[in-house]
């Protein structure tokens, strides 16, 4: 057998390596494009979520102020109600004492 026929020449090996490099580059390019698309989609979703968070954060201080004002009003109303309740209790005791003075049998 002739060794020149069966053994590939250096040029053939280099051509095969070049072809393999091209295929590898094509596959890498496709993979890179797919990764870039997915990363882009994720960035879009993240940016959208961040925008939503920013809108919520902008509304939150106004909402907190509103809730604080409402809570203060409720607390004020509850203190007034408690004061009225204590006045009613005192009035009831006074009435009870006066009734017992006028009607001794209630004692």
């Amino acid at each position: 057998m002739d060794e020149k026929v069966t053994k590939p020449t250096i040029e053939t090996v280099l051509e095969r390596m070049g072809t393999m490099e091209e295929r590898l580059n094509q596959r890498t390019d496709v993979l890179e494009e797919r990764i870039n698309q997915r990363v882009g989609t994720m960035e879009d979703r993240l940016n959208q979520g961040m925008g939503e968070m920013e809108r919520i954060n902008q509304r939150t201080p106004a909402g907190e102020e509103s809730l604080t004002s409402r809570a203060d009003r409720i607390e004020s109303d509850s203190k007034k109600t408690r004061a009225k309740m204590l006045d009613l209790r005192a009035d009831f005791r006074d009435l009870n004492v006066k009734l017992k003075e006028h009607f001794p049998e209630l004692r």
Side-chain angles (χ1 to χ4, degrees), residues 14 18 20 29 34 37 47 49 53 63 70 78 83-84:
L14 290 175
M20 187 169 31
D29 290 344
R34 289 170 67 191
Q37 287 175 352
N47 288 335
M53 292 279 290
R70 288 179 186 173
S78 67
K84 287 179 182 178

Side-chain angles (χ1 to χ4, degrees), residues 5-37:
V5 173
T6 58
K7 288 186 180 178
T9 62
I10 192 73
E11 291 84 16
T12 306
V13 171
L14 290 175
E15 282 177 18
R16 289 178 184 169
M17 287 175 63
T19 304
M20 187 169 31
E21 181 183 13
E22 286 177 24
R23 284 192 312 236
L24 192 58
N25 284 338
Q26 288 173 353
R27 291 178 75 183
T28 303
D29 290 344
V30 169
L31 183 59
E32 184 178 357
E33 182 62 33
R34 289 170 67 191
I35 290 172
N36 286 338
Q37 287 175 352

Side-chain angles (χ1 to χ4, degrees), residues 95-107:
L95 179 63
N96 196 15
V97 168
K98 288 179 183 177
L99 283 173
K100 285 181 182 180
E101 286 176 4
H102 289 289
F103 300 104
E105 60 271 0
L106 291 176
R107 291 183 193 189

Side-chain angles (χ1 to χ4, degrees), residues 63-74:
E64 286 177 2
E65 290 297 321
S66 176
L67 288 176
T68 301
S69 295
R70 288 179 186 173
D72 288 345
R73 285 192 179 101
I74 290 169

Side-chain angles (χ1 to χ4, degrees), residues 85-102:
M85 206 46 203
L86 292 174
D87 285 343
L88 284 173
R89 224 191 244 173
D91 290 344
F92 182 75
R93 282 192 197 114
D94 291 343
L95 179 63
N96 196 15
V97 168
K98 288 179 183 177
L99 283 173
K100 285 181 182 180
E101 286 176 4
H102 289 289

